[in-house]
Amino acid sequence: MIVAEGVHKWYGKFHVLRGASLTVERGEVVVIMGPSGSGKSTFIRTFNALEDYQKGRIEIDGIELSHDLRNIETIRQEVGMVFQQFNLFPHLTVVQNITLAPKWVRKWPKAKAEDVAMQLLERVGILEQAHKYPGQLSGGQQQRVAIARALAMQPKIMLFDEPTSALDPEMVREVLDVMRSLAESGMTMVVVSHEVGFAREVADRIILMDGGTLIESGTPTEFFQNPREERTRQFLAQIL
């Protein structure tokens, strides 16, 4: 579903991605960990052209990511993304936030978009919040709305960029539970997160990223119990 080969990116003179490569299979859940500033968020944001890159190649579900706007639009319809900040429109209700893109991009009639939105709100456990505004919801509820909004476009791939880092600790579990159920349904997922319990339980593979490159890749057992690289051992000593 995702093939990234030798991806390089510079911000001016700062070389943030240094030949990063990753392949993600259909239905695979990959968790990317690493210290702050290691390029994790930048890397996954290249997968739907939220960040450009200067060297390398990225292919999403067989479509090469190029500067062709038609390709970018097609890829963005296939790739849902959930951010650290919820990015909901404060002046729209929950259901209006979720139906906006399907109506404008997928050209769905209002009734179909609202029906799908209600099904998704039930799936993420907040159907009763459908007609409230984002400011009336807790952080965990807002993040679940953001997940429902991404799912409304019926993506083939979901990207999560530290989706729980802005939440109070007691709200983290409700968001992770939704992500677990998504993984169990077979969704292809790439998750930037330091949630060790989630990574152990849900990931097929865990990646350590540092200095703009992928340092180590392995199953949760390999990664946490028998890491090959000294840098991985140093990182785990800080977070475990």
Side-chain angles (χ1 to χ4, degrees):
M1 290 297 279
I2 300 172
V3 178
E5 295 178 339
V7 177
H8 289 260
K9 177 175 177 61
W10 285 263
Y11 289 122
K13 293 182 178 179
F14 178 49
H15 196 176
V16 61
L17 295 177
R18 299 169 178 261
S21 297
L22 177 67
T23 300
V24 181
E25 303 295 336
R26 186 180 303 276
E28 191 176 17
V29 179
V30 175
V31 173
I32 302 178
M33 293 185 156
S36 205
S38 59
K40 311 180 296 294
S41 295
T42 301
F43 189 37
I44 70 163
R45 288 165 69 99
T46 62
F47 298 163
N48 61 354
L50 286 178
E51 295 278 1
D52 61 358
Y53 57 98
Q54 284 77 46
K55 277 176 67 179
R57 186 176 79 89
I58 296 176
E59 195 176 278
I60 305 295
D61 194 22
I63 303 171
E64 178 115 20
L65 187 54
S66 65
H67 293 294
D68 187 327
L69 288 177
R70 288 167 301 180
N71 275 14
I72 291 173
E73 286 175 9
T74 301
I75 284 168
R76 282 185 178 161
Q77 289 185 35
E78 306 292 347
V79 181
M81 186 152 191
V82 177
F83 302 89
Q84 184 175 341
Q85 302 298 334
F86 322 123
N87 293 351
L88 301 174
F89 291 109
H91 64 290
L92 299 180
T93 65
V94 164
V95 76
Q96 288 170 336
N97 266 282
I98 295 170
T99 57
L100 195 63
K103 287 193 294 188
W104 282 92
V105 180
R106 297 281 194 205
K107 307 300 183 190
W108 287 0
K110 181 180 177 183
K112 178 181 178 179
E114 288 185 353
D115 185 48
V116 169
M118 292 301 192
Q119 291 174 32
L120 289 169
L121 286 171
E122 187 167 21
R123 183 175 178 182
V124 301
I126 50 170
L127 181 59
E128 72 283 356
Q129 310 295 345
H131 300 293
K132 291 185 180 177
Y133 289 89
Q136 297 174 287
L137 306 183
S138 71
Q141 289 170 333
Q142 289 187 59
Q143 193 61 294
R144 284 188 279 169
V145 173
I147 293 172
R149 179 181 58 182
L151 291 173
M153 287 293 286
Q154 301 182 332
K156 295 179 180 176
I157 299 165
M158 283 287 285
L159 307 176
F160 293 87
D161 187 5
E162 303 205 31
T164 59
S165 63
L167 299 177
D168 292 335
E170 64 268 22
M171 295 176 184
V172 168
R173 173 156 292 279
E174 60 193 54
V175 173
L176 293 180
D177 284 344
V178 171
M179 293 169 64
R180 275 190 195 90
S181 70
L182 263 184
E184 288 164 5
S185 74
M187 176 65 76
T188 306
M189 294 166 59
V190 182
V191 183
V192 172
S193 178
H194 291 142
E195 296 290 344
V196 172
F198 174 82
R200 284 186 196 273
E201 186 183 333
V202 178
D204 297 300
R205 209 161 21 120
I206 303 175
I207 308 286
L208 179 72
M209 199 164 173
D210 193 20
T213 61
L214 278 67
I215 304 291
E216 180 153 353
S217 171
T219 66
T221 301
E222 292 166 346
F223 186 86
F224 288 113
Q225 296 181 14
N226 193 27
R228 296 184 303 276
E229 302 295 328
E230 176 59 28
R231 182 67 189 94
T232 310
R233 289 190 282 274
Q234 292 170 358
F235 175 73
L236 292 175
Q238 297 293 321
I239 67 165
L240 295 179

